[in-house]
């Protein structure tokens, strides 16, 4: 790898020179708006979207229809008929099973629970995640964690750790949710015109969008300007969703900011709209989850001692024999006469069928599309249209001495400190971002090493899907050399290159309409859940699971 280095010698000086800018009234205004927005409150390196992604509410059955369904379903109910079958044992399906009363079975095609949760502790001295890495310690997630006995295992990051954006060879710190209100990194990152555009755009009345379901690019271009779009929003979308802002739906990805835009058509613009929509959200807050009793500092991110896989394992443990691994659903059919569903499975013991009053599909969109094919062609096609691009998760370790001390996130004596760094597209860096794993969780790598987690690929780089593991790790190392390492840094110890062929479902424009159309086209009792419905973060999946359990309750 021959790295083209940026202006490393000036990096640290540049950052420090602006560290104590006075807080002018403009910054105060920005502070009002920006830290509350989805993309800056969220720890950039933590991969956790802040807001719950909005999709239409689950379809509710009118009471009379539900009662009739219940009566009919008793007609031919054999002893083997269960109330609810959940297909998919990722965090969504398992949580749905846990929250659903009555006779429930959660069946998954894999031998172990958790779907994309993959903690690795098989290399001595390291603990790392090939799948999700942190969760936002919201009330609902902590409640679930506590319910399955994992409260003592919760570990939180230091909330003042900096999140960086890489631009033009330098690193810029974004305002951190737990730290002092320091906007100097953001001010340096944006051009003076770009900064002025953000400030003016935040207070001027917001013009109505051309289309209600507009792209993230269209929203930011017409409100806060293209600088913040390119340098902050794009890297956030590319890393968190592996997505493309010119395709993703603003309403689905940043619902709070989109609502602020709706309410910000008068004087005060987005800032006023944001205050109004927050107030409205507080008033319509859903029933709270049981108190977890776990104390966490606002703005930190969380994991579990021993890794995140413990969460699905503990939920599966709590489900006991209601969780069935190694069963792959192949077909769901429905009887109009009895209103019962029959689901066929391929299992190590041969074919099986399960008859149930409800079926919850908590599987990736392509799997759901296949399963509902016999029930509704329309739903199947709509679900088939939800794409999930490939992404590679690369865990690699360097000696701390390999890092260039001139780089803003590198500590004196070596090693990186912070949450991580996001890379805007167009920087000639293929890596979407690096997370600094043992800066967040120090015990996860030897003391004299820095453990990095990099993402490569996604919707804006579809060609990356066909790269080999060796090619991916070589490119990621090349990017680390350009951004973080000394010229003569040694090759990393590559712990893992995990390729996710269909990583994260894309909430592109039209997504909400596709989910709504699918729900309407499917028979009552067939419930769509999982990360394709109510948001991709772990917290969103848990909230969606609760919505699914409530829908099932209504049918039963
Ligand atoms: C690489 C990566 C990193 C991420 N990092 C974070 C993070 O740090 N923080 C965060 O909050 N979120 C993160 N996410 C997002 C989050 O982890 C996922 O959105 C969430 O875990 C999805 O859960 P799920 O249960 O909906 O789906 P999945 O985990 O995909 O589970 C679906 C399950 O369905 C099963 N299945 C599929 N077809 C069938 C069938 N026919 N029959 C039976 N079973 C079937 C599968 O085996 C699987 O277990 C990350 C996602 C990825 C891919």
């Amino acid at each position: 790898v021959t790295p083209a280095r940026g202006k490393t010698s000036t990096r640290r000086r540049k950052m420090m020179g602006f560290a104590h800018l006075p807080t002018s009234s403009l910054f105060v205004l920005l502070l009002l708006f920006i830290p509350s927005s989805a993309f800056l409150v969220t720890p950039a390196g933590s991969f956790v979207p802040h807001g719950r992604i909005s999709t239409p509410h689950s379809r509710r059955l009118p009471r009379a229809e539900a009662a009739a369904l219940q009566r009919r379903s008793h007609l031919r109910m054999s002893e083997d008929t269960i109330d609810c079958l959940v297909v998919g044992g990722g965090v969504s399906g398992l949580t749905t099973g846990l929250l659903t009363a009555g006779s429930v079975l959660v069946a998954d095609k894999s031998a172990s629970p958790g779907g994309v949760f993959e903690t690795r502790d098989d290399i001595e001295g390291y603990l790392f995640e090939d799948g999700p890495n942190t969760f936002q310690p919201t009330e609902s997630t902590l409640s679930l964690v506590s319910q399955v006995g994992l409260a003592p295992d919760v570990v939180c990051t230091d909330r003042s750790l900096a999140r960086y954006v890489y631009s033009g060879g330098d690193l810029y710190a974004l305002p951190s949710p737990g730290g002092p209100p320091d906007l100097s990194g953001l001010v340096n990152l944006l051009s003076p015109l770009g900064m002025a555009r953000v400030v003016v755009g935040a207070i001027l009345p917001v013009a109505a969008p051309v289309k209600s379901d507009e792209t993230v690019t269209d929203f930011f271009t017409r409100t806060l300007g293209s600088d913040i779009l390119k340098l902050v929003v794009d890297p956030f979308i590319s890393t968190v969703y592996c997505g493309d802002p010119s395709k993703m739906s603003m309403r689905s990805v940043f619902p709070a900011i989109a609502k602020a835009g709706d309410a910000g058509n008068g004087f005060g613009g987005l800032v006023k709209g944001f205050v109004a929509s927050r107030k409205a959200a507080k008033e319509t807050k859903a029933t709270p989850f049981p108190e977890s009793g776990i104390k966490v500092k606002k703005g930190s991110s969380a994991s579990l001692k021993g890794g995140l896989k413990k969460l699905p394992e503990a939920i599966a443990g709590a489900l006991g024999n209601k969780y069935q691994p190694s069963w792959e659903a192949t077909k769901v059919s429905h009887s109009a006469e009895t209103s019962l569903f029959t689901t066929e499975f391929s299992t190590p013991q041969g074919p099986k069928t399960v008859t149930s009053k409800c079926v919850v599909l908590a599987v990736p969109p392509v799997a759901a599309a296949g399963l509902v094919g016999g029930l509704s062609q329309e739903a199947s096609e709509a679900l088939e249209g939800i794409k999930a691009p490939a992404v590679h998760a690369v865990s690699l370790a360097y000696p701390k001495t390999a890092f260039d001390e001139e780089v803003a996130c590198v500590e004196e004596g070596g090693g990186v400190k912070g949450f991580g760094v996001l890379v805007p597209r167009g920087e000639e860096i293929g890596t979407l971002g690096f997370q600094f794993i043992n800066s967040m969780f120090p015990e996860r790598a030897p003391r004299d090493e820095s453990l990095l987690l990099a993402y490569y690929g996604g919707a804006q780089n579809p060609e990356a899907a066909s790269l080999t593991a060796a090619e991916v790790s070589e490119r990621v190392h090349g990017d680390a050399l350009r951004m973080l390492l000394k010229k003569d840094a040694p090759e990393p110890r590559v712990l893992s290159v995990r390729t996710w062929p269909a990583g994260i479902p894309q909430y592109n424009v039209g997504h909400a309409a596709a989910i709504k159309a699918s729900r309407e086209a499917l028979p009552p009792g067939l419930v769509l859940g999982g990360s394709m419905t109510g948001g991709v973060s772990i917290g969103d999946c848990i909230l969606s699971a609760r919505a699914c359990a409530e829908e099932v309750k209504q049918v039963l």
Side-chain angles (χ1 to χ4, degrees):
V1 180
T2 332
R5 296 183 64 80
K7 302 167 276 177
T8 45
S9 57
T10 59
R11 291 178 194 173
R12 180 176 289 279
R13 229 176 325 124
K14 197 165 171 189
M15 290 303 302
M16 289 173 71
F18 289 94
H20 304 291
L21 274 183
T23 313
S24 75
S25 54
L26 286 187
F27 298 148
V28 172
L29 181 70
L30 255 178
L31 207 61
L32 254 182
F33 174 69
I34 290 174
S36 308
S37 68
F39 54 91
L40 288 180
V41 169
T42 302
S46 80
F47 217 89
V48 185
H50 175 57
R52 174 166 155 71
I53 287 181
S54 67
T55 49
H57 286 300
S58 308
R59 179 167 38 89
R60 301 257 169 257
L61 284 181
R63 213 169 264 283
E65 198 184 330
L69 177 66
Q70 188 176 14
R71 277 197 304 278
R72 282 204 309 278
S73 61
H74 281 293
L75 285 178
R76 298 220 176 148
M77 211 168 58
S78 76
E79 276 179 14
D80 296 335
T81 301
I82 59 169
D83 289 329
C84 179
L85 169 72
V86 181
V87 182
V91 70
S92 304
L94 292 168
T95 309
T96 306
L98 195 71
L99 299 178
T100 301
S103 50
V104 182
L105 183 71
V106 180
D108 195 286
K109 68 176 184 180
S110 306
S112 75
V116 297
F117 282 60
E118 279 188 12
T119 301
R120 297 275 309 274
D121 60 0
D122 50 323
I123 301 179
E124 206 185 329
Y126 303 91
L127 186 117
F128 58 97
E129 307 277 3
D130 277 345
N133 192 45
T134 54
F135 63 87
Q136 210 175 5
T138 56
E139 209 178 287
S140 44
T141 306
L142 290 177
S143 175
L144 174 70
V145 165
S146 170
Q147 191 183 337
V148 294
L150 292 175
D153 293 322
V154 173
V155 282
C156 284
T157 59
D158 173 353
R159 63 193 180 134
S160 66
L161 287 177
R163 297 109 183 124
Y164 294 92
V165 171
Y166 175 85
S167 177
D170 288 317
L171 259 57
Y172 299 87
L174 295 176
S176 96
D182 180 4
L183 292 174
S184 55
L186 189 66
V187 171
N188 289 329
L189 173 65
L190 303 183
S191 68
L193 261 181
M195 194 68 198
R197 180 76 177 85
V198 170
V199 174
V200 173
I203 50 171
L204 280 187
V206 180
V210 179
K211 284 180 269 172
S212 159
D213 189 9
E214 67 182 329
T215 65
V216 171
T217 297
D218 286 344
F219 178 91
F220 280 94
T221 310
R222 84 183 158 83
T223 55
L224 300 177
S226 51
D227 250 34
I228 196 140
L229 169 71
K230 176 177 175 275
L231 296 168
V232 180
V233 180
D234 176 291
F236 176 84
I237 296 261
S238 323
T239 316
V240 173
Y241 294 96
C242 303
D244 180 348
S246 70
K247 295 195 176 129
M248 294 201 88
S249 159
M250 184 68 197
R251 272 187 203 288
S252 296
V253 180
F254 296 122
I257 306 178
K259 276 197 188 124
D262 295 341
N265 53 3
F267 181 73
L270 277 176
V271 173
K272 199 169 162 204
F274 193 77
V275 173
S277 57
R278 270 189 85 133
K279 202 171 151 218
K282 264 189 194 153
E283 280 159 13
T284 55
K285 217 175 165 194
T287 330
F289 279 73
E291 274 273 333
S292 70
I294 305 170
K295 297 277 170 267
V296 291
K297 286 196 173 143
K298 213 174 168 195
S300 55
S301 287
S303 179
L304 297 169
K305 281 178 208 153
L308 281 184
K309 180 87 173 177
K310 276 178 124 179
L311 178 61
E313 283 171 351
I315 308 174
L319 282 168
N321 58 11
K322 292 179 177 175
Y323 162 67
Q324 176 59 62
S326 306
W327 279 27
E328 178 170 7
T330 51
K331 191 178 172 192
V332 182
S333 39
H334 179 250
S335 157
E337 192 195 347
T338 62
S339 291
L340 295 177
F341 292 91
T342 304
T343 306
E344 294 170 30
F345 285 93
S346 157
T347 83
Q349 297 78 36
K352 305 259 182 207
T353 57
V354 173
T355 310
S356 59
K357 292 190 224 168
C358 291
V359 173
V360 177
L361 294 183
V363 293
V366 65
L371 289 172
V372 303
L375 301 175
S376 159
Q377 195 56 29
E378 188 192 341
S380 179
E381 279 168 17
L383 295 171
E384 185 89 52
I386 302 172
K387 300 298 174 207
V391 68
H392 307 276
V394 186
S395 292
L396 61 174
Y398 292 95
K400 284 191 169 167
T401 50
F403 291 87
D404 181 351
E405 286 184 39
E406 294 294 324
V407 179
C409 64
V410 178
E411 295 193 285
E412 278 179 41
V416 281
K417 183 165 187 208
F419 261 90
V421 52
L422 299 175
V423 186
R425 299 303 80 208
E427 285 289 337
E428 296 182 0
I429 298 278
T431 303
L432 298 168
F434 289 95
Q435 291 186 36
F436 305 156
I437 299 305
N438 59 330
S439 174
M440 292 191 257
F441 306 111
E443 69 293 348
R444 294 195 173 182
R447 276 164 180 270
D448 55 351
E449 293 181 16
S450 279
L451 174 57
L452 309 183
L453 168 61
Y455 289 105
Y456 200 95
Q460 296 192 65
N461 186 5
E463 298 77 32
S466 56
L467 295 175
T468 63
E471 286 166 339
V472 173
S473 52
E474 189 184 326
R475 288 178 189 209
V476 168
H477 174 56
D479 290 341
L481 276 167
R482 288 184 188 95
M483 295 168 60
L484 306 168
L485 299 167
K486 290 177 183 162
K487 270 188 187 141
D488 58 354
E491 296 277 322
R493 177 165 186 194
V494 179
L495 304 175
S496 167
V497 180
R498 172 65 161 102
T499 300
W500 296 95
I504 293 186
Q506 298 294 290
Y507 283 66
N508 288 342
V509 164
H511 177 269
I515 293 290
K516 184 169 181 274
S518 309
R519 283 180 166 150
E520 284 168 2
L522 290 167
L526 192 301
V527 179
L528 290 181
S531 61
M532 67 176 164
T533 56
V536 301
S537 74
I538 295 168
D540 284 341
C541 289
I542 290 167
L543 290 175
S544 295
R546 180 166 83 164
C548 288
E550 276 167 12
E551 195 175 337
V552 169
K553 191 173 156 195
Q554 232 188 5
V555 173
L556 295 178

